[in-house]
Amino acid sequence: MWGKARELAQMAPPERNRWADFLRALSILAVVLGHWLMAGLYVDDAGELQRGDLLTTSQWAHWLIWGFQVMPVFFLVGGFSNGMSWDPTLRKAEPGQTGVYRNWLASRVQRLIAPTFPVLLLWAVLAVVMTQVGLDRGQIRDATEAALIPVWFLAVYLLVTACTPLTRKAWKRFGWLSFAVYIPIAMLVDWLTFSVGVEYINFTNFLWVFLAIHQLGFAWRDGRFEKPLFAFLWFVVGLAILISITVYGFYPVSMVSAPGGFSNSLPPTLALFALGVAQVGLVLTLEPLGRKMLENLSIWTAAVLMNGMIMTVYLWHLTAFVLVMTIVWIGFGGMGLNSVPGTGEWWASRPLWLAIYILALLPMIAVFARHERSFGPIRGGRTVPKVRVVFGVLLICVGLAATAAITIASPESLSGIRLWVVALPFVGAALLGFGPIYAMVKRDPQKGGAAS
């Protein structure tokens, strides 16, 4: 895998923004490490397995989330790459040509949804089997919920990506105003949620907050952050606002779960918005140094390698965690789980546990990373009708959102799963024209390179 990545790294054109690729890989790795570090099962004095986490036992650890909750960085890179992709698509389109947006969106969706199908299918089968053999349904739910919670991000990212033609047009016409408009909207949503008590409206912030960060990706793509001092000012302002509304304000410092069930991320709040602005300013301030660093072929190769398996790592890392915990609890009687998260003994054991999680993840990478684009179009290049594209994307997003929110495990059904939740992403993909056709990578025997 390293040799192939090195070949691809050497073929990258000089004008490619390597910092964008590096940030994409870094953001996912930060999320993975954060999940593995924060989660902590332990065995209590009575010999019972307890669900614990670092944030509950260590107040100071809430500050760590400012470095680990980096989904805004991924949306920044998403805006950059979607702008880079959509602009030439429009330029190449012939006057009066139809289906440009539909084909573009279908290709973007396919790259994200293809790696998701195997993990959904695996856990659907596991949930059915575990139910039929009589395992406790609460434990089945906990396992499926823990393993599949990462798919919430895909539902939001697909919706934001689908808006690209409109948001890109808004950026070209209104510039910074197309970003600024989301600030009062996010503030209004939080006010309606926390002051007025309007239910469910806070979920709209999944769109407003991440659409705003996505707009900053357009600004980056168009060179509006070229001066490091300008980017640094964004960092300072974002950080100042974040501190004022968390340390001295209403919002908790933690960007994920906090005492009382409050979460700044699920759904996003103004605090996560401010964190995103600060993170954008920081990573773009560091861009000149980062691009110089990536001139080193080994570092650039590592970034290319990670980007080639990025969705597999993200989607399977919690499956690896659940697998390890299950084996340790059932097979070894909870050996090594006798320290409460946050204690000195617990911290001393983290390097070993992280190494075990990585070893558990490696076989999943070996099996599934090569097929990150394994579900290809099956319509012979014909344009998919517009209504099918829109409806297909919506079904995929609803299915993924439901998977993360209520899990695929069912406490009542005989099968043990919510079939409609599992089915929705597959039905949506079918409407888009995707099927289980493996697009295997073929090697050019003369050049030894990859040809798709």
Side-chain angles (χ1 to χ4, degrees), residues 15-334:
E15 65 272 13
R16 185 178 184 90
N17 190 324
R18 299 182 178 187
W19 187 237
D21 294 298
F22 179 83
L23 289 179
R24 184 187 296 111
L26 182 65
S27 61
I28 291 299
L29 286 177
V31 171
V32 170
L33 179 60
H35 283 162
W36 283 348
L37 190 61
M38 298 299 166
L41 299 179
Y42 67 97
V43 180
D44 61 17
D45 294 336
E48 297 292 330
L49 187 66
Q50 302 293 335
R51 294 180 63 178
D53 64 84
L54 183 61
L55 298 179
T56 301
T57 60
S58 304
Q59 186 74 22
W60 65 267
H62 292 193
W63 293 91
L64 294 178
I65 304 302
W66 290 17
F68 286 115
Q69 174 50 288
V70 289
M71 277 305 174
V73 176
F74 198 95
F75 279 87
L76 169 74
V77 176
F80 181 91
S81 60
N82 285 335
M84 290 286 290
S85 174
W86 177 244
D87 287 352
T89 298
L90 277 183
R91 287 196 301 268
K92 294 175 183 178
E94 299 178 359
Q97 182 179 348
T98 60
V100 175
Y101 167 68
R102 286 166 285 180
N103 293 336
W104 175 85
L105 179 60
S107 68
R108 306 299 280 186
V109 172
Q110 184 266 335
R111 294 179 183 182
L112 290 170
I113 196 62
T116 311
F117 289 146
V119 71
L120 284 177
L121 284 174
L122 173 70
W123 277 102
V125 171
L126 286 177
V128 171
V129 172
M130 288 188 292
T131 300
Q132 303 313 310
V133 299
L135 293 183
D136 180 76
R137 294 206 177 201
Q139 294 179 352
I140 297 173
R141 175 187 171 86
D142 289 344
T144 55
E145 182 181 37
L148 297 178
I149 192 65
V151 301
W152 74 263
F153 153 75
L154 294 178
V156 180
Y157 189 79
L158 286 176
L159 284 177
V160 170
T161 297
C163 295
T164 294
L166 291 177
T167 53
R168 181 66 175 152
K169 187 175 182 179
W171 167 257
K172 289 183 176 180
R173 182 171 181 179
F174 301 109
W176 293 112
L177 182 60
S178 69
F179 159 79
V181 68
Y182 293 111
I183 300 175
I185 294 177
M187 293 174 66
L188 176 62
V189 168
D190 277 7
W191 178 75
L192 290 173
T193 299
F194 301 116
S195 297
V196 182
V198 179
E199 295 184 355
Y200 305 117
I201 194 171
N202 54 337
F203 287 92
T204 65
N205 263 350
F206 274 117
L207 272 181
W208 313 136
V209 171
F210 289 122
L211 278 172
I213 303 300
H214 196 258
Q215 291 298 100
L216 296 182
F218 294 153
W220 180 23
R221 183 254 183 276
D222 289 351
R224 304 295 285 274
F225 284 97
E226 281 185 351
K227 297 181 179 179
L229 179 59
F230 180 70
F232 183 71
L233 288 175
W234 278 76
F235 166 66
V236 171
V237 171
L239 184 61
I241 294 173
L242 178 61
I243 292 174
S244 67
I245 64 177
T246 54
V247 179
Y248 303 105
F250 165 74
Y251 299 92
V253 169
S254 174
M255 289 296 115
V256 288
S257 60
F262 195 114
S263 174
N264 276 315
S265 297
L266 298 172
T269 65
L270 190 64
L272 184 65
F273 197 147
L275 176 66
V277 170
Q279 289 178 344
V280 168
L282 179 61
V283 298
L284 296 185
T285 299
L286 297 175
E287 181 179 7
L289 293 176
R291 296 182 75 161
K292 185 174 182 62
M293 173 190 70
L294 291 167
E295 292 176 2
N296 182 292
L297 182 58
S298 295
I299 299 176
W300 172 230
T301 299
V304 171
L305 177 63
M306 182 59 196
N307 274 278
M309 62 178 71
I310 193 166
M311 292 306 301
T312 301
V313 171
Y314 176 72
L315 289 168
W316 288 92
H317 76 280
L318 286 179
T319 295
F321 172 82
V322 172
L323 174 65
V324 169
M325 290 296 103
T326 301
I327 293 175
V328 169
W329 175 245
I330 296 178
F332 295 92

Side-chain angles (χ1 to χ4, degrees), residues 113 120 151-152 155 392-408 420-426:
I113 196 62
L120 284 177
V151 301
W152 74 263
V393 171
L394 288 177
L395 286 182
I396 291 172
C397 292
V398 171
L400 295 179
T403 298
I406 63 176
T407 80
I408 61 173
W420 65 272
V421 175
V422 177
L424 281 180
F426 292 90

